[in-house]
Amino acid sequence: MLQKDILLKHNGKVYKGCNGYQRIELIESVNELCRGIEQPKVLEAGCGSGLNIYLLESLNSQIEIHGFEYTNARIASAIVNLFYSPNLHNLFLADVCNLKIPDNSFDVVYSNHVLEQLGQERAEAALKEMWRVCKKGIVVSEPSIHGANRYEKWRMNTLGYCRDLYSVAKKLPHAKVLVYKEDSYRTYPNTSHHLVVEKTP
Ligand SMILES: C[S@@+](CC[C@H](N)C(=O)[O-])C[C@H]1O[C@@H](n2cnc3c(N)ncnc32)[C@H](O)[C@@H]1O
């Protein structure tokens, strides 16, 4: 955990937290969920340009990290950004709503601000896909209507973002929600909640 608040100044106001810092919480939760697993295998859904993969491998080089993207441009940038990485990564194109991956293929599956763009209905389908292909659990950092202020709610509605993945996560088969909270370094203006769900036997 970061020890100090980072202040972000914007239009004369000072905000607690700094855009992007919630990544660190996400990465630490993925690492935590992998604890006790020999040679953990994880999958990032919508890995963008590969920053989370870079952070996770910097934290724990024992984790085998795979990632996929929806667009050629994004996966190409991830491949370039991870060019000098000492580890091999399996980076591929896929749609998180319809994964051509067998059940329980990865120990942990995670996403950061990916499901948001799909709207509530497709985000629910995506969450179920992530759950299907994971063995141990999922970590997601995505917007939530819970605790959102008026502006954030307006923004989510206007952009057609997903609103509530917690109520879906609770009902996943064999699910135990370990964490559900607003990210500590509130990301302005795209609020996100940190959700960690474990599969119970
Ligand atoms: C806001 S970016 C976040 C990228 C990355 N997760 C990060 O934290 O830096 C959202 C990403 O989700 C990807 N995306 C959107 N729809 C997707 C889908 N159906 N399947 C997989 N990825 C998707 C986009 O291509 C984009 O790279």
Side-chain angles (χ1 to χ4, degrees):
M1 278 290 286
L2 294 167
Q3 298 301 312
K4 283 195 295 186
D5 290 345
I6 311 289
L7 297 180
L8 175 69
K9 290 184 186 159
H10 177 74
N11 282 350
K13 288 185 187 162
V14 178
Y15 296 89
K16 180 181 168 228
C18 187
N19 203 335
Y21 267 84
Q22 105 285 352
R23 280 178 203 283
I24 305 297
E25 280 189 301
L26 170 99
I27 295 305
E28 290 184 353
S29 288
V30 173
N31 188 44
E32 189 58 37
L33 211 49
C34 287
R35 197 180 291 272
I37 302 172
E38 213 177 307
Q39 295 180 313
K41 198 171 146 189
V42 311
L43 176 67
E44 177 165 358
C47 63
S49 52
L51 176 55
N52 301 320
I53 294 178
Y54 168 78
L55 290 168
L56 183 58
E57 75 171 1
S58 304
L59 180 65
N60 186 345
S61 60
Q62 301 306 308
I63 299 179
E64 183 184 308
I65 312 171
H66 303 236
F68 68 84
E69 246 304 323
Y70 196 57
T71 71
N72 277 300
R74 284 298 184 110
I75 204 71
S77 65
I79 290 168
V80 172
N81 289 341
L82 295 163
F83 189 78
Y84 292 114
S85 163
N87 299 313
L88 276 181
H89 303 288
N90 173 27
L91 300 171
F92 55 99
L93 287 169
D95 177 0
V96 66
C97 299
N98 183 17
L99 295 172
K100 313 274 186 240
I101 296 173
D103 297 358
N104 308 315
S105 295
F106 294 90
D107 293 300
V108 175
V109 183
Y110 67 96
S111 76
N112 183 53
H113 287 265
V114 174
L115 274 45
E116 62 182 19
Q117 304 182 352
L118 306 173
Q120 182 65 22
E121 207 175 307
R122 289 185 68 222
E124 289 182 15
L127 197 77
K128 287 175 186 163
E129 272 298 78
M130 290 169 68
W131 189 249
R132 182 182 66 74
V133 303
C134 84
K135 252 190 290 203
K136 178 83 189 282
I138 55 176
V139 182
V140 302
S141 185
E142 301 287 350
S144 170
I145 213 76
H146 301 139
N149 64 29
R150 249 175 63 185
Y151 171 70
E152 289 163 335
K153 283 181 185 157
W154 171 84
R155 187 176 184 277
M156 275 185 239
N157 288 331
T158 305
L159 295 175
Y161 273 14
C162 68
R163 295 176 305 279
D164 172 24
L165 294 175
Y166 174 61
S167 50
V168 185
K170 275 194 307 190
K171 292 186 197 138
L172 292 168
H174 307 286
K176 182 179 174 196
V177 176
L178 300 181
V179 180
Y180 180 61
K181 67 176 190 75
E182 190 177 282
D183 57 67
S184 306
Y185 298 91
R186 193 177 172 83
T187 308
Y188 178 81
N190 194 0
T191 182
S192 63
H193 265 60
H194 191 70
L195 180 60
V196 183
V197 193
E198 188 179 38
K199 249 185 202 177
T200 57

